[in-house]
Amino acid sequence: MSDLRTAEGRSTGCLGDLVELVRDKHLPTPLDSDVPCINLEHIPEGAGRALSWSKASENLSSKTKFQAGDILFGKLRPYLRKYAQPQFSGVCTSELLAFRAKPGVDPRYAYHVVGLPEFSEYCVAASFGTKMPRTDWRTASAFPVQIPDQNEQRRIADLLSAMDAQIEVCTEQTAKLKVLRSGVVFEQLLPLADTSPSCSLGTLCEQVTSGSRGWASYYSEKGALFLRIGNLTREHPNLRFDDVVRVQVPEGGEGARTRLQEGDLLISITADLGIVASVPPGLGEAYVNQHIALARLSDQRVHPRWVAHAFASPFGSNQIARLNDGGAKAGLNLPTIRALRVPLPDLGQQLRVVELIDSIDAQLEKEQAHLAKLKLQKQGLLSKLLTPPAQRQTTIVNHDQ
């Protein structure tokens, strides 16, 4: 093992000092129906675990035989960051490299090193092949790493594993909320929308227009919000504000006509068609660009959030798909938007569904924010505890095979 001491008292070396390549091969037979086999498709991008596996007997090509605690890493298209540490023995496709921690190395520490984005980037930089880039053991093993003593490895692994456990709990809670929301949409909103009388959106609105164009030269750090398609999301009809621009609105012109009000319905009409959002209270001065249609409801028989949720559901997306102008450049025009059918159940029924979905959305937004915070905290820990020293220079071997 390398023994170049850093300022923190840790040694530095390369991944090959932490793990060895598993070379045990297994040729499955039809009798291997109880042998789990992990393929690339069983490991989601960046997830750090295999979500499923198949039977080794389903594909009789040569496999790598791994043990519980070994680390798997996808050598095909390494930028996908497909890695896992199964807690069971089995076999895996030859498109996965299997690493086994060397004596004196905590397998969990090695697993977190393999999960570093820098490790994937390193493998990508030295990958070979154009259509299907690959990495190999010679490249991967040269990745520079920090090598603390085993006790510190254990402490670091405990800390990161605890963080992973929190992320897993939060991820599961987010998934449950999404299932709950989907249940409300399919079991309550859609049956109500399908069985209620309806009318065209245009008859319920005082105004249906497209957003403002040509304001790019008026961008300003302190101006009004200028919303684009990227501020709409298909998951729910709520606006997102993680990437907004501001404009200094020119005097006169279409500013007064297109200034947003609470309850306005927004629908994308170019590019990613039919994404729906509604304007929340307290947004302040805001406008949308020409790629978004603005529908201002005025009929008291319908609640704006009901329309937003209905159009964000399959009820609305199916209509938009059928009414799409199509042609060489797909898009929606304002007459098409006005012709969209709006279901009109009793207002009390509308509010009941709206309040239920909005309540779930509020919980979901809170969980997603917490999950994002946990992931950011983990990334900070990874950078602090595992990222190779910046001063270590390593030559990347390029392959031309």
Side-chain angles (χ1 to χ4, degrees):
M1 183 176 293
S2 304
D3 194 27
L4 176 64
R5 308 306 292 183
T6 68
E8 293 81 7
R10 299 175 181 176
S11 64
T12 61
C14 55
L15 184 65
D17 293 324
L18 294 177
V19 300
E20 60 186 2
L21 180 67
V22 177
R23 301 181 185 276
D24 299 336
K25 297 300 180 182
H26 179 76
L27 192 61
T29 73
L31 299 178
D32 286 332
S33 59
D34 58 345
V35 177
C37 176
I38 296 180
N39 297 316
L40 279 172
E41 61 266 24
H42 298 140
I43 305 176
E45 181 177 348
R49 60 191 178 121
L51 298 184
S52 61
W53 54 85
S54 59
K55 299 176 182 178
S57 58
E58 293 177 2
N59 187 320
L60 303 184
S61 62
S62 180
K63 305 289 192 296
T64 299
K65 188 176 182 180
F66 64 82
Q67 297 177 3
D70 286 348
I71 303 155
L72 308 181
F73 180 77
K75 68 179 184 181
L76 178 65
R77 293 183 291 182
Y79 56 84
L80 294 177
R81 290 186 63 223
K82 294 199 169 192
Y83 68 103
Q85 189 175 41
Q87 299 306 307
F88 55 84
S89 298
V91 298
C92 67
T93 174
S94 59
E95 298 298 349
L96 287 162
L97 296 171
F99 306 140
R100 183 167 298 154
K102 289 185 173 181
V105 174
D106 190 310
R108 299 172 303 157
Y109 180 83
Y111 160 77
H112 287 297
V113 170
V114 171
L116 282 171
E118 291 86 350
F119 175 63
S120 295
E121 292 166 4
Y122 181 92
C123 292
V124 169
S127 62
F128 52 93
T130 53
K131 293 183 179 180
M132 301 288 278
R134 299 171 181 269
T135 190
D136 59 13
W137 167 243
R138 185 154 60 110
T139 297
S141 64
F143 176 66
V145 298
Q146 297 192 69
I147 309 176
D149 63 45
Q150 193 171 19
N151 287 333
E152 188 176 357
Q153 289 180 32
R154 187 178 300 110
R155 287 193 293 270
I156 291 173
D158 286 344
L159 180 60
L160 293 174
S161 295
M163 183 68 71
D164 281 341
Q166 294 181 58
I167 291 174
E168 180 67 19
V169 169
C170 195
T171 300
E172 290 179 356
Q173 181 61 22
T174 299
K176 290 178 181 178
L177 287 170
K178 288 182 177 180
V179 171
L180 180 61
R181 188 188 194 283
S182 180
V184 174
V185 169
F186 280 91
E187 296 172 14
Q188 298 190 41
L189 186 153
L190 291 180
L192 196 59
D194 289 338
T195 58
S196 299
S198 66
C199 66
S200 66
L201 177 64
T203 62
L204 300 173
C205 294
E206 65 177 73
Q207 174 184 339
V208 179
T209 186
S210 58
S212 306
R213 67 173 66 243
W215 285 3
S217 59
Y218 297 95
Y219 284 170
S220 169
E221 293 183 1
K222 299 181 180 180
L225 287 174
F226 194 50
L227 303 179
R228 302 162 294 169
I229 290 179
N231 300 115
L232 282 61
T233 174
R234 285 199 182 277
E235 294 182 358
H236 48 67
N238 300 329
L239 289 169
R240 49 186 294 182
F241 301 101
D242 52 342
D243 181 22
V244 296
V245 298
R246 293 181 177 272
V247 292
Q248 190 65 46
V249 181
E251 296 182 3
E254 58 186 6
R257 177 178 62 83
T258 59
R259 180 169 179 170
L260 300 182
Q261 297 180 11
E262 177 184 345
D264 282 349
L265 188 70
L266 309 179
I267 304 175
S268 62
I269 55 178
T270 63
D272 199 355
L273 298 177
I275 310 177
V276 178
S278 63
V279 176
L283 182 60
E285 186 179 3
Y287 305 83
V288 290
N289 67 13
Q290 71 273 21
H291 303 296
I292 298 175
L294 183 164
R296 181 160 297 154
L297 294 157
S298 57
D299 196 301
Q300 299 302 310
R301 293 175 297 166
V302 65
H303 192 281
R305 289 292 289 176
W306 163 259
V307 181
H309 283 303
F311 280 2
S313 76
F315 175 88
S317 59
N318 291 340
Q319 281 194 76
I320 291 172
R322 290 195 301 268
L323 295 174
N324 175 22
D325 287 343
K329 187 176 180 180
L332 299 173
N333 57 35
L334 295 183
T336 297
I337 297 294
R338 294 188 183 98
L340 291 172
R341 304 300 295 180
V342 179
L344 293 175
D346 176 82
L347 190 58
Q349 293 176 308
Q350 296 177 35
L351 290 173
R352 177 178 57 80
V353 173
V354 165
E355 289 172 358
L356 183 55
I357 297 179
D358 281 350
S359 174
I360 297 172
D361 280 346
Q363 298 177 60
L364 188 55
E365 184 177 351
K366 183 178 179 181
E367 286 293 334
Q368 289 174 327
H370 184 48
L371 180 60
K373 182 179 179 181
L374 287 173
K375 289 182 176 179
L376 188 62
Q377 289 175 343
K378 183 187 175 184
Q379 189 58 46
L381 286 173
L382 287 170
S383 178
K384 180 179 180 181
L385 300 173
L386 298 181
T387 300
Q391 70 271 21
R392 181 174 176 84
Q393 300 296 322
T394 302
T395 301
I396 296 178
V397 179
N398 288 307
H399 300 270
D400 186 14
Q401 311 181 29

